Amino acid sequence: MLLSAYNNELFGIWALINSLVAYLALSSFGIPTAATVYIANSKERLRQIRIYKKAFRLLLLLTSVISVVLIQASFFVPWEIIFGKVSTENVGIAKVAASVMLIGFLFRVPFSIATAAFAGVHRIDLTKFYELINSTITFGCLVAVIQLEGGLVTLAVVTSGASLMVSLIAFTHFAVAFDRSHSEKIEFEEDLPYMELLGKSVYYLQVGIASTVVWNTNPFLVSHIIGAEAIASYTIPQRLFTLAA
């Protein structure tokens, strides 16, 4: 649908933007996965909630720092070099759409801890439910933007806004359904230090780096060697192969 609505180059630019978002996902430093493990291994609900809150605070702090750095760096980012061979008339579109998607993702990262926490309290069904809702709404955004004949920037704004809304709903859901400890003052003999949580996260970050490089570097190579318009020829067969597998 995306390829039919836009030309090959815009399709390629959208693929590059999504690869940039995938790299930015490393900004979570593996904290959601580590939090899931610690929450699942804890038998006390109140301790689970405290781990959840610590993970949220760490994510909020890290994404805030990364946001400040990226905003400062955005004035000096050589977008033309990052995107590879993109026509002059589409470079501006690529810059704006990429900025919207990256900023929207950073806003969403701290609230993504909710889906990780659902898995930690053994509610995998809710984790999968919100993942399904997010993918469905993302597809709905694509259909709506195409029907309204919107451009790539509009697609980025609508998609980012919808995904953020789903994350906020999941975050609120977890707070209402499981976080009943705000009025209780119970101290544990063995609380989870921030450094231990962050240290464990590094192991999952390493796995994330490996998979991100494997799955999201090729579009940039194609764009730099051949051009962004050639990404469609590479991506479509790859996705068909993935579906067949």
Side-chain angles (χ1 to χ4, degrees):
M1 290 182 65
L2 186 64
L3 189 58
S4 299
Y6 304 107
N7 57 40
N8 283 5
E9 187 171 68
L10 288 176
F11 177 92
I13 289 172
W14 186 251
L16 292 171
I17 291 172
N18 280 282
S19 293
L20 284 175
V21 171
Y23 272 101
L24 191 59
L26 297 174
S27 63
S28 67
F29 285 86
I31 292 173
T33 306
T36 298
V37 173
Y38 277 115
I39 291 172
N41 289 335
S42 178
K43 297 179 181 179
E44 296 287 340
R45 176 52 55 84
L46 184 55
R47 189 168 191 269
Q48 290 176 332
I49 296 301
R50 291 178 66 168
I51 294 171
Y52 164 77
K53 288 182 176 180
K54 285 192 171 186
F56 172 73
R57 292 181 193 123
L58 271 178
L59 280 174
L60 189 61
L61 174 62
L62 289 171
T63 52
S64 297
V65 172
I66 291 171
S67 297
V68 172
V69 172
L70 285 180
I71 290 173
Q72 296 298 321
S74 63
F75 298 102
F76 309 100
V77 171
W79 290 102
E80 294 80 359
I81 297 177
I82 292 175
F83 284 115
K85 297 178 181 178
V86 176
S87 61
T88 306
E89 63 268 21
N90 287 328
V91 170
I93 295 173
K95 290 180 182 178
V96 177
S99 299
V100 170
M101 288 291 286
L102 294 174
I103 292 171
F105 181 81
L106 282 174
F107 274 121
R108 195 166 75 246
V109 167
F111 304 105
S112 67
I113 193 65
T115 52
F118 280 130
V121 297
H122 310 295
R123 291 302 306 270
I124 302 295
D125 56 323
L126 292 176
T127 299
K128 295 301 180 183
F129 171 75
Y130 280 109
E131 289 176 357
L132 176 62
I133 291 296
N134 189 59
S135 60
T136 303
I137 287 182
T138 300
F139 178 72
C141 291
L142 173 62
V143 174
V145 171
I146 289 176
Q147 291 298 317
L148 295 173
E149 299 182 352
L152 217 59
V153 175
T154 304
L155 180 60
V157 171
V158 174
T159 301
S160 297
S163 296
L164 177 60
M165 180 186 67
V166 173
S167 296
L168 287 172
I169 292 173
F171 187 78
T172 304
H173 182 181
F174 187 88
V176 172
F178 296 96
D179 186 2
R180 306 294 186 183
S181 62
H182 58 279
S183 62
E184 299 182 52
K185 301 295 181 183
I186 299 177
E187 295 295 331
F188 292 92
E189 293 181 1
E190 296 183 1
D191 199 6
L192 178 66
Y194 280 104
M195 291 307 298
E196 183 178 343
L197 175 60
L198 190 58
K200 192 73 170 180
S201 302
V202 173
Y203 292 103
Y204 299 108
L205 173 63
Q206 294 172 2
V207 177
I209 292 174
S211 61
T212 300
V213 170
V214 169
W215 289 106
N216 296 283
T217 303
N218 289 342
F220 291 100
L221 293 176
V222 173
S223 181
H224 278 79
I225 296 172
I226 306 175
E229 70 278 358
I231 293 177
S233 301
Y234 167 80
T235 304
I236 299 298
Q238 183 189 43
R239 292 192 178 184
L240 291 174
F241 175 81
T242 304
L243 286 172

